[in-house]
């Protein structure tokens, strides 16, 4: 009886807690949906058909219970949303399924050009090993030069829709640079990329593109980009083209690095800031213009007409910018706000943000794990919560001329604080002067850059676009000057190590509790936030990392990670160092531990010896140098057998990148990229378990497999 009484009191307490949130529960709907989507992506194995049937029956049963009278059961609704998130992500994953190239290919490539840069096209090489059709979409970099010149191979720029041909290299999308790292294979799967590659050969146009609204908009986009860069040469024109059309091809790497170091790189991405400024400017201009005409202002719903005009401008901007995921997300958020204006509802509320998040997750569940989604909704939620708390505060009783300045400072500080953990987790750096740079730059985006772009677009048909560009140019030069000045400081950026897999989810849930929950209990959300930062601060980086092709090895030393090669495998090496929070260049990291001789590099890690053999001379000595207790990494095909644990290209192709970790019992453990990815539609891990079992059975280094689960 005591147990039943305790259960009853617990249910009563939970009901009392939920009842206090009535009217404020809708913002938790996308959170529950996101929990299910995140759960799907964290599964180690893709659910079988039987699992999906069981999930469908569970959703149907819960729906029937809800319709039968449990409509106010918050727990039931939350459970249904979580299960719906799993089903939604699985459905999306299978709907985007396309063939993926299963081997490296060199030869003729022919297909229809896409509308993105680098060159995206639909190739037709057959899969010679499986007999399957080649990938439906491939991305290929042309190596004729930088920026726009890379496209203008020969005497023409490949156009969207044109039938093109070239000779080049294609390969499957590569897996994570380290276990648990950024998964390009998953991103490529949801973007429909079945292969990536490059070519140094000319691109030949075999047939002209067809017609269609999409091609017309793409050509218009390129024409506008070229016209802007012709009027505004240099970095200013490249910046203007990027913020108006989404074409970043002319941006120099030095300029991009300066913008990142000053935390101003978000000004290039056509996302919430640009879409909000554009639609806000159009809305304000239309409303003021119509209100200035008394007969129209008295008879027409001026505010709603302005909202419709702003919505149309946002839709055109979405099409012109190429319609990438970030811009789609920004347009959805703006559309929700403008539709609220049409319905005479409050536009900027947490309910509006929640509705926008629901729409984005329903359309693209995979957006949840992308930094753009996390940062944009973190910033928007924090801004609405902060300004709601400050409503009526004395800070807004300042002189009118000072209020906009204070609003910019507060919004930059709040948005910066909300997005900083996500930016640091995904990009491994914290910009110390980001707040100052944003306060000095963001107002000019709203005052000059975006209005200038609108004026240029309106005057372009009559050949007077230069008026708008002249308005944009000084502001852009100022922004680039701020970025360059800040980036030139030695203390502008601090690199941070990559967090563990649970840090961001725990941090996000704690932040949501603080911003969404009503009442004093919201401050309980600070506990998981502090816990997340503690987990991040105590994260242990792998003692050793082995590239998925055996081309490079990195071990952790007292000076930082030492790399086995000073050249080659640059992307993987850079990813490892960035995830360590290490600013060293690959050449400097390679100098931390010199090779024994050309092609032979060794390091003693506790009771395990790591041997990296590369080049013809090194690989030829694989058999002679192999002994018990040694991990021999061979950048090629190694000997068929030997006393050591042999990791050659053939074996690593099955497992992906290898990490050697030290667990809680101070035992070394081998973890592969496939251990973290699991057997999913986008991963190539069908034979990973068999390969690792073969390694364990060899008994060469048994301690690595004592606690590992494969």
């Amino acid at each position: 009886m005591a147990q039943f009484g305790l259960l009853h009191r617990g249910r009563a307490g939970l009901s009392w807690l939920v009842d206090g949130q009535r009217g404020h529960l809708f913002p938790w709907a996308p959170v529950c949906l996101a929990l299910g989507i995140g759960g799907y992506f964290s599964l180690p194995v893709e659910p079988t058909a039987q699992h999906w049937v069981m999930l469908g029956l569970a959703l149907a049963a819960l729906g029937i219970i809800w319709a039968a009278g449990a409509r106010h059961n918050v727990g039931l609704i939350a459970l249904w949303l979580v299960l719906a998130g799993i089903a939604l992500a699985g459905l999306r994953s299978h709907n985007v399924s396309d063939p993926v190239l299963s081997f490296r290919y060199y030869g003729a490539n022919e297909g229809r050009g896409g509308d993105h840069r680098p060159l995206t096209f639909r190739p037709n090489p057959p899969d010679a090993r499986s007999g399957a059709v080649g990938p439906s979409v491939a991305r290929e970099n042309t190596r004729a030069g930088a920026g726009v010149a890379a496209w203008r191979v020969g005497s023409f720029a490949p156009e969207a829709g044109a039938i093109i041909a070239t000779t080049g290299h294609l390969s499957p999308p590569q897996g994570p640079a380290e276990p648990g790292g950024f998964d390009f294979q998953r991103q490529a799967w949801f973007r429909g990329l079945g292969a990536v590659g490059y070519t140094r050969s000319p691109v030949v146009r075999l047939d002209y593109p067809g017609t269609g609204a999409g091609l017309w908009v793409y050509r218009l986009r390129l024409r506008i980009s070229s016209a802007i860069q012709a009027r505004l040469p240099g970095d200013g024109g490249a910046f203007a083209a990027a913020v108006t059309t989404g074409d970043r091809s002319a941006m120099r790497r030095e300029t991009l690095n300066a913008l990142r170091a000053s935390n101003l790189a978000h000004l290039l991405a056509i996302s919430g800031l640009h879409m909000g400024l554009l639609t806000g400017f159009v809305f304000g201009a239309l409303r003021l213009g119509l209100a200035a005409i008394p007969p129209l202002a008295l008879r027409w719903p001026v505010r709603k007409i302005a909202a419709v005009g702003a919505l149309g401008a946002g839709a055109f901007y979405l099409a012109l910018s190429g319609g990438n995921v970030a811009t789609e997300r920004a347009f959805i958020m703006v559309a929700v706000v403008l539709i609220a204006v049409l319905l005479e509802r409050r536009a900027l509320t947490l309910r509006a943000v929640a509705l926008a998040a629901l729409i984005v997750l329903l359309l693209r569940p995979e957006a949840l794990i992308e930094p753009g989604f996390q940062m944009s909704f973190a910033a928007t939620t924090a801004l609405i919560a902060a300004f709601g708390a400050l409503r009526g505060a004395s800070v807004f009783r300042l002189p009118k001329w000072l209020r906009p300045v204070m609003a910019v400072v507060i919004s930059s500080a709040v948005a910066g604080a909300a997005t900083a953990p996500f930016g640091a987790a995904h990009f491994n750096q914290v910009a110390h002067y980001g707040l100052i740079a944003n306060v000095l730059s963001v107002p000019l985006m709203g005052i000059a850059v975006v209005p200038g772009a609108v004026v240029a677009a309106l005057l372009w048909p009559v050949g007077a676009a230069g008026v708008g560009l002249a308005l944009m140019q000084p502001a852009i030069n100022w922004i680039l000057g701020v970025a360059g000045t800040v980036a030139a400081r030695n203390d502008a950026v601090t690199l941070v190590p990559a967090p563990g897999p649970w840090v961001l989810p725990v941090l996000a849930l704690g932040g949501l509790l603080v911003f969404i929950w009503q009442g004093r209990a919201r401050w309980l959300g600070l506990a998981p936030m502090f816990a997340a930062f503690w987990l991040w601060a105590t994260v242990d980086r792998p003692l050793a990392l082995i590239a998925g092709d055996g081309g490079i090895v990195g071990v952790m030393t007292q000076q930082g990670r030492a790399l086995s090669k000073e050249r080659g495998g640059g992307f993987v090496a850079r990813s490892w160092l960035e995830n360590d929070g290490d600013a060293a260049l690959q050449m400097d990291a390679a100098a931390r531990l010199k090779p024994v001789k050309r092609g032979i590099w060794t390091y003693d890690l506790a009771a395990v010896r790591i041997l990296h053999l590369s080049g013809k001379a090194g690989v030829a000595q694989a058999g002679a140098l192999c002994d018990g207790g040694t991990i021999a990494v061979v950048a090629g095909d190694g000997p068929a057998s030997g006393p050591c644990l042999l990791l050659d290209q053939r074996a690593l192709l099955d497992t992906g990148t290898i990490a050697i970790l030290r667990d809680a019992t101070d035992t070394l453990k081998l973890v592969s990229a496939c251990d973290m990815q699991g057997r999913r539609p986008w991963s190539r891990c069908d034979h990973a378990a068999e390969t690792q079992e073969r390694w364990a059975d060899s008994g060469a280094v048994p301690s690595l497999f004592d606690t590992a689960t494969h």
Side-chain angles (χ1 to χ4, degrees):
M1 293 297 291
Q3 293 177 345
F4 286 109
L6 183 63
L7 180 61
H8 178 73
R9 286 194 296 271
R11 291 181 60 184
L14 183 61
S15 299
W16 173 82
L17 191 64
V18 172
D19 288 341
Q21 304 299 311
R22 296 292 179 184
H24 302 280
L25 290 172
F26 181 72
W28 290 101
V31 177
C32 294
L33 192 69
L35 287 174
I37 294 171
Y40 168 79
F41 284 116
S42 64
L43 292 174
V45 179
E46 188 70 12
T48 63
Q50 182 180 4
H51 292 138
W52 289 122
V53 170
M54 293 173 63
L55 179 61
L57 292 174
L59 285 170
L62 290 174
I64 292 172
I65 295 172
W66 176 84
R71 297 184 180 181
H72 300 291
N73 190 319
V74 176
L76 180 68
I77 297 173
L79 177 60
W80 190 90
L81 285 170
V82 171
L83 296 180
I86 298 174
L88 182 66
L91 182 63
R92 171 72 175 168
S93 175
H94 288 82
N95 282 345
V96 299
S97 174
D98 260 335
V100 176
L101 196 67
S102 62
F103 63 100
R104 293 183 178 274
Y105 170 85
Y106 174 76
N109 294 291
E110 178 184 323
R112 186 175 295 277
D115 59 353
H116 297 283
R117 302 181 181 184
L119 179 59
T120 305
F121 66 101
R122 296 182 177 275
N124 61 0
D127 187 330
R129 297 188 183 183
S130 65
V133 181
S136 61
V137 178
R139 187 174 72 188
E140 191 156 0
N141 288 322
T142 54
R143 298 293 182 88
V148 178
W151 279 74
R152 291 176 180 153
V153 183
S155 60
F156 77 98
E159 300 173 273
I163 304 298
I164 59 175
T166 187
T167 300
H169 298 261
L170 288 178
S171 62
Q174 297 302 302
E178 64 176 76
F182 169 69
D183 193 346
F184 178 68
Q185 285 179 334
R186 182 174 58 196
Q187 183 188 74
W189 177 266
F190 284 98
R191 294 188 178 183
L193 286 176
V196 294
Y198 66 92
T199 180
R200 294 184 174 90
S201 303
V203 178
V204 180
R205 181 174 57 202
L206 302 181
D207 195 6
Y208 287 87
T211 59
L215 294 177
W216 179 85
V217 171
Y218 175 69
R219 292 169 192 155
L220 176 64
R221 178 187 178 200
L222 291 188
R223 286 177 60 191
I224 293 174
S225 177
S226 299
I228 290 174
Q229 293 177 55
R231 291 286 189 94
L232 301 178
D235 289 338
F239 186 97
V243 299
T244 52
T245 67
D247 177 16
R248 300 192 201 179
S249 60
M251 292 294 299
R252 295 186 304 120
R253 182 176 295 275
E254 295 80 7
T255 305
L256 290 172
N257 290 337
L259 289 168
R260 293 191 183 104
S262 57
N263 201 26
L264 294 177
H266 67 94
L267 298 183
L268 283 179
I270 299 179
S271 55
L273 175 66
H274 304 73
M275 189 67 72
L277 290 174
L278 173 75
T279 53
F281 176 76
V282 173
F283 177 83
L286 285 175
R287 189 177 182 185
L288 288 175
L290 293 174
I293 306 174
L296 298 182
L298 293 173
R299 293 178 174 84
W300 291 3
V302 171
R303 191 164 179 260
K304 294 183 179 181
I305 293 174
V308 172
L311 190 61
F316 178 75
Y317 194 29
L318 171 66
L320 184 65
S321 64
N324 61 54
V325 176
T327 315
E328 286 181 359
R329 181 174 57 247
F331 177 73
I332 290 172
M333 294 181 68
V334 166
V336 168
V337 171
L338 292 174
I339 291 172
V341 172
L342 292 175
L343 298 176
E344 299 182 354
R345 300 289 184 90
R346 281 185 59 193
L348 293 175
T349 65
L350 288 176
R351 294 177 66 88
V353 177
L355 180 59
L358 275 176
I359 295 173
V360 172
L361 292 176
L362 288 172
L363 294 176
R364 295 180 181 269
E366 70 276 10
L368 175 69
I369 54 179
E370 296 178 355
F373 176 92
Q374 297 168 10
M375 296 175 72
S376 63
F377 279 102
T380 307
T381 303
L383 284 170
I384 291 177
F387 278 98
L390 291 173
R391 188 178 294 116
S394 58
V395 70
F396 290 109
R397 296 171 189 170
L398 298 169
K400 288 186 177 180
W401 66 270
L402 195 56
R403 292 177 190 173
V405 177
M406 184 56 64
V408 170
V409 173
I410 292 175
S411 60
S412 296
V414 171
T419 59
F422 298 94
H426 290 288
F427 307 115
N428 303 109
Q429 66 178 30
V430 176
H432 295 298
Y433 301 101
L435 174 59
I436 298 174
N438 276 275
V439 169
L440 294 175
S441 302
V442 170
L444 291 176
M445 291 293 295
I447 295 171
V449 177
V450 171
V454 175
V455 171
L458 293 175
L459 297 180
W460 178 55
V462 297
V467 175
L469 296 178
L471 178 62
M472 298 172 66
Q473 187 172 17
I476 291 175
N477 291 340
W478 170 267
I479 292 171
L480 294 177
V482 169
T485 302
V486 170
R489 296 184 61 89
N490 294 330
D491 58 346
V493 172
T494 294
L495 296 182
V496 295
W502 287 102
V503 169
L504 283 186
V506 172
L507 181 65
L509 287 174
L512 288 168
L513 189 61
V514 171
F515 290 128
I516 299 179
W517 197 263
Q518 304 299 307
R520 295 181 180 179
R522 68 169 58 196
W523 302 114
L524 294 175
L526 294 176
M529 294 179 69
F530 285 131
F533 283 118
W534 180 81
L535 289 172
W536 195 344
T538 57
V539 66
D540 288 327
R541 294 288 298 148
L543 299 178
L545 288 165
I546 301 167
D549 60 356
I552 189 169
V553 173
V555 295
M556 189 62 74
T557 67
Q558 291 183 347
Q559 296 79 29
R561 192 168 302 279
L563 301 178
S564 61
K565 295 173 66 176
E566 63 180 21
R567 288 189 301 271
F571 173 76
V572 172
R574 186 168 62 251
S575 297
W576 291 350
L577 293 172
E578 288 177 352
N579 289 338
D580 290 337
D582 191 342
L585 300 175
Q586 181 177 352
M587 184 177 297
D588 299 328
R592 291 168 177 167
L593 193 64
K594 295 293 185 180
V596 175
K597 61 173 68 174
R598 186 177 180 85
I600 302 175
W601 185 92
T602 183
Y603 181 79
D604 290 329
L605 182 67
V608 178
R609 180 173 176 242
I610 298 178
L611 180 67
H612 186 218
L613 306 170
S614 61
K616 293 183 179 179
V619 173
Q621 300 184 59
L625 296 174
C626 236
D627 56 24
T630 297
I631 300 175
V633 181
V634 181
D637 293 336
S641 61
C644 63
L645 178 60
L646 181 66
L647 310 182
D648 63 357
Q649 281 188 344
R650 289 174 296 188
L652 291 170
L653 183 64
D654 292 334
T655 64
T657 308
I658 296 292
I660 298 178
L661 312 172
R662 193 185 302 277
D663 65 11
T665 62
D666 205 33
T667 303
L668 297 183
K669 180 173 67 172
L670 182 148
V671 177
S672 71
C674 280
D675 288 331
M676 305 299 290
Q677 282 183 295
R679 297 184 64 175
R680 311 306 301 273
W682 51 83
S683 66
R684 293 180 294 144
C685 296
D686 292 339
H687 305 292
E690 293 86 342
T691 299
Q692 291 180 238
E693 286 176 5
R694 187 169 67 251
W695 290 343
D697 293 340
S698 70
V701 192
S703 61
L704 292 173
F705 302 92
D706 288 345
T707 58
T709 56
H710 305 302

